[in-house]
Amino acid sequence: MEQQSQGTTVKGTGVVAGIAYAPAVWIRPRPELPQSGQNIAEENRDAEFERFTNAADTVAARLDERASRAEGPAAEVLTATAGMVRDRGWRKTVRRNVKGGHPADFAVVSATDKFVTMFEQAGGIMAERTTDLKDIRDRVIAELRGEPEPGLPSVDGPSVLFADDLSPADTATLDTDQFVALVTELGGPTSHTAIIARQLNLPCIVAIGAKLRDLPADEPVLVDGSMGTVAIGADPEESQRMVADYQAKAEKVAQWRGPAQTKDGHRVQLLANVQDGNAARLAADTEAEGVGLFRTELCFLSATEEPSVEEQADIYEKVLRAFPHSKVVVRSLDAGSDKPVAFANMKEEENPALGVRGLRIARDNEALLTRQLDAIAMASERLGRDEHAPTWVMAPMVATTREAKWFAGLCRERNLIAGAMIEVPAAALMADKIMPHLDFVSIGTNDLTQYTMAADRMSPQLAYLTDPWQPAVLRLIQQTCNEGKATGTPVGVCGEAAADPHLACVLTGLGVDSLSCASTAIAGVGAQLAAVDLILCQKAAVAALSAESAPEAREAVRGILGA
Ligand code: PEP
Ligand code: MG
């Protein structure tokens, strides 16, 4: 905790930018969990299981009803949560526990624990889904006891919502007129809370830890989602002014219209990152000029078997269809590490982030990759895509020239435009050798930062290292851009760095041709680029490259570009 003249400031990981000033409220507590179960007499066990079934059905129906009132991804999250309450495997485990003599509430706790352990062992994104499981457990237990459903408090004015971790169902139905910012003790930048907060455009900070646990309800707090800070005891007038300034800026940003260019007309292609057809359709409603990163592995996180080429083509077609007249960059499966895909990742590894992930999977299983490339080519052909609506394909985790050459060969056999992600430092260092084999590259700053700084991107403790403003990372980007110019290879950036308006200017100054980010970040980046000349972007790039640290780079660029 930092003690400041105006009060106390606590730092977490900011995941959605924005400034809010309002009293704090805490989410309604979860029900007490039973520690052990007394025996239910044999003749009452069927009735006990029926009691559970009724409670679970009621909870599922309530979630369905909320889903019918929501839209888009929020509705999908609620439907998915209702689906978990109906999950046969989970219900069967509860049944087995009740048949063994446990009362329904304890049977639910122990069945959920079993699934939580399984998800935690799977790690990464799966581990983040344990919040969903604990959420349905608590809802069903409250229903069994006739208690009100745990969840959002009712408030009588704008409030900042604090929670240990928010359930997806609660995040999905947050009323943004009532809740003006979100702060969670747990969670990571890829957790459901973060994803939905981004969709709602609600300032959000995750992983703040237990430092604010004693914060009294109704205490006014100043939340800065881009800095990741919560200030207590901040001057009310100054805070209100900051909120008003931010809102005025946000309104101006919303007016921005593409295509993206600097004030003096230097064009930068601004593209969207998507994970399915729905996200692509949402992106098509923004000023995005196409898709710069389609993360295909996210379509298959819960698939147990590899979909057929036709089934895959159907999925890819939905994304291509959203951008019938523009470029779509499809990434081949980046399975592994924090995104395990059951049919692609076979072996347990000690160090999955440094293991067989991304393109490396195809070394021992080339057919998995060629089937995916066949499916991408099939989807593209079905829609008659051509040079006016090109389908580009890139491989994740390319580390050597040989890998790049091999992947490009497989793409060209299928008339696909071939590229590679530059996200392993070796690829940036060898860009002069790798690029001649490719049609384009796209820099993945999330992994490039993780591997350059030797710091796990999922670790809340190492967030100070996994910061794309690290000058070491920017130097590798500079080298990649220089080689892109020398070899005539288009260079894009599709990591989270592209979503940060100031960093987007630095990247433009370094010479990147395209930026790809979450749909909600498009207007902010476009508006910032429109406000500065290319020469200022270049000056910002020089300042960031010569800084000693990430905070120093950020500050220097803020000084050059203005707040
Ligand atoms: C990256 O590493 O920057 C990237 C865009 O890929 P992902 O975040 O999916 O690993
Ligand atoms: Mg990556």
Side-chain angles (χ1 to χ4, degrees), residues 331 334 339 357 396-397 421 423 444 446-448 457:
R331 181 172 72 183
D334 186 21
K339 293 175 289 193
R357 62 167 290 203
M397 296 295 291
M421 291 197 67
E423 55 181 349
N446 307 336
D447 278 314
L448 189 61
R457 63 192 264 190

Side-chain angles (χ1 to χ4, degrees), residues 7-262:
T8 304
T9 299
V10 175
K11 198 160 168 28
T13 304
V15 290
V16 182
I19 303 212
Y21 181 68
V25 290
W26 283 86
I27 203 146
R28 226 179 294 144
R30 302 174 196 273
E32 287 270 308
L33 298 184
Q35 292 308 312
S36 64
Q38 293 154 340
N39 271 356
I40 296 277
E42 183 112 37
E43 65 274 21
N44 295 334
R45 290 179 192 171
D46 283 343
E48 185 67 356
F49 183 66
E50 201 182 318
R51 210 166 68 78
F52 157 78
T53 310
N54 290 339
D57 288 347
T58 306
V59 169
R62 218 178 272 143
L63 288 164
D64 279 339
E65 197 267 326
R66 283 167 70 186
S68 69
R69 285 188 277 123
E71 275 176 30
E76 277 170 26
V77 166
L78 287 163
T79 308
T81 310
M84 288 175 96
V85 189
R86 294 197 176 93
D87 182 78
R88 286 230 217 118
W90 180 70
R91 285 193 179 208
K92 239 175 161 171
T93 314
V94 175
R95 183 162 188 270
R96 205 174 310 125
N97 294 345
V98 173
K99 288 277 178 198
H102 294 300
D105 60 354
F106 185 73
V108 166
V109 170
S110 94
T112 308
D113 283 350
K114 184 181 149 197
F115 282 86
V116 165
T117 310
M118 265 163 51
F119 278 34
E120 277 170 355
Q121 278 164 357
I125 281 181
M126 293 301 277
E128 288 182 0
R129 298 293 173 264
T130 54
T131 304
D132 314 24
L133 280 168
K134 290 179 188 161
D135 175 55
I136 63 164
R137 173 198 65 196
D138 294 346
R139 285 173 198 276
V140 172
I141 290 179
E143 183 61 31
L144 277 166
R145 294 180 184 162
E147 291 170 3
E149 203 165 6
L152 293 173
S154 22
V155 292
D156 45 18
S159 311
V160 173
L161 186 64
F162 281 76
D164 52 353
D165 202 357
L166 267 190
S167 74
D170 285 332
T171 324
T173 48
L174 272 184
D175 177 349
T176 49
D177 286 337
Q178 295 199 313
F179 299 105
V180 290
L182 252 184
V183 181
T184 64
E185 286 187 6
L186 307 171
T190 59
S191 61
H192 256 135
T193 304
I195 292 166
I196 295 174
R198 216 168 272 136
Q199 181 212 333
L200 297 172
N201 221 353
L202 195 63
C204 175
I205 298 170
V206 296
I208 200 133
K211 292 164 279 192
L212 290 174
R213 200 164 275 173
D214 298 330
L215 183 72
D218 292 336
E219 174 80 36
V221 290
L222 177 68
V223 174
D224 183 334
S226 72
M227 302 301 283
T229 53
V230 177
I232 302 130
D235 178 61
E237 264 178 35
E238 168 73 1
S239 301
Q240 303 286 14
R241 191 189 57 72
M242 285 170 73
V243 173
D245 285 354
Y246 183 82
Q247 277 166 355
K249 205 170 154 197
E251 272 159 34
K252 223 168 129 200
V253 162
Q255 312 285 319
W256 176 79
R257 293 293 168 264
Q261 54 186 336
T262 57

Side-chain angles (χ1 to χ4, degrees), residues 363-377:
R363 272 190 81 217
D364 284 338
N365 193 354
E366 187 174 300
L368 181 69
L369 173 62
T370 53
R371 282 192 294 272
Q372 183 177 30
L373 295 178
D374 286 342
I376 297 167

Side-chain angles (χ1 to χ4, degrees), residues 437-466:
H437 298 290
L438 299 168
D439 301 314
F440 72 100
V441 298
S442 182
I443 303 173
T445 48
N446 307 336
D447 278 314
L448 189 61
T449 308
Q450 147 162 281
Y451 296 124
T452 304
M453 304 308 295
D456 184 346
R457 63 192 264 190
M458 308 294 285
S459 162
Q461 290 96 328
L462 301 181
Y464 74 102
L465 290 173
T466 51

